[in-house]
């Protein structure tokens, strides 16, 4: 398995950040540099979605595998002999702000060889994407 994550903190309340994150994955919120998401059913575990990465090679299908309202969102994509798990976790801070962690896990038979090459290509913009998401949440607040 190959894994990486990016964490950021904001003074925004967790619900505000969640609303932006959920809006992005529902396809109702967009902003410059954001991937485009199209749900094929309700915003719930088991629903598939089409994801078109900003500047990416094309659209791929993913499935929501974890969703705890206000806390965690994760989707999984199969790519050859590996699976890509994208997880966002929101933690309420004592001061009312939020800690957001975006994690990528690459698993499967080819993860040890594919992960070190593919992982940094995918996650290279995580910090910028997180900053853009938090700016969008601020605008929506």
């Amino acid at each position: 398995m190959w894994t990486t994550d990016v964490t950021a903190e904001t003074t925004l309340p967790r619900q505000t950040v969640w609303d932006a994150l959920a809006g992005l994955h529902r396809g109702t919120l967009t902003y410059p540099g954001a991937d485009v998401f199209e749900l094929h059913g309700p915003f719930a575990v088991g629903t598939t979605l089409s994801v078109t990465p900003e500047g990416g090679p094309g659209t791929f299908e993913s499935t929501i595998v974890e969703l705890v309202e206000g806390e965690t969102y994760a989707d999984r994509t199969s790519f050859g002999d590996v699976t890509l798990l994208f997880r966002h976790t929101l933690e309420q801070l004592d001061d009312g702000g939020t800690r957001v962690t975006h994690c990528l896990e690459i698993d499967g038979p080819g993860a040890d060889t594919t992960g070190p090459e593919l992982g940094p290509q995918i996650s290279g913009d995580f910090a910028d994407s997180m900053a853009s998401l938090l700016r969008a949440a601020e605008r929506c607040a």
Side-chain angles (χ1 to χ4, degrees):
M1 180 182 342
W2 185 93
T3 186
T4 189
D5 60 64
V6 171
T7 300
E9 293 185 2
T10 178
T11 57
L12 294 169
R14 184 169 67 180
Q15 189 61 48
T16 300
V17 177
W18 176 259
D19 290 345
L21 179 67
L24 176 65
H25 287 87
R26 284 183 174 119
T28 59
L29 174 69
T30 189
Y31 46 84
D35 294 349
V36 176
F37 295 84
E38 181 185 351
L39 276 177
H40 303 292
F43 187 60
V45 171
T47 297
T48 60
L49 59 155
S50 299
V51 183
T52 306
E54 171 71 20
T59 301
F60 60 88
E61 297 296 313
S62 194
T63 302
I64 299 173
V65 295
E66 186 177 355
L67 194 145
V68 177
E69 182 76 24
E71 296 179 18
T72 304
Y73 168 88
D75 61 60
R76 180 175 292 128
T77 302
S78 294
F79 183 76
D81 65 349
V82 297
T83 58
L84 311 175
L85 178 71
F86 298 88
R87 175 180 286 119
H88 290 81
T89 305
L90 283 61
E91 298 175 62
Q92 182 79 40
L93 299 175
D94 291 339
D95 65 2
T98 306
R99 177 178 298 121
V100 184
T101 303
H102 185 185
C103 180
L104 168 62
E105 295 176 6
I106 301 177
D107 203 1
D112 290 339
T113 54
T114 304
E117 180 181 336
L118 182 62
Q121 292 173 15
I122 294 171
S123 63
D125 70 345
F126 276 12
D128 291 339
S129 294
M130 178 92 66
S132 294
L133 174 69
L134 295 177
R135 283 192 300 275
E138 287 174 1
R139 286 190 300 274
C140 292

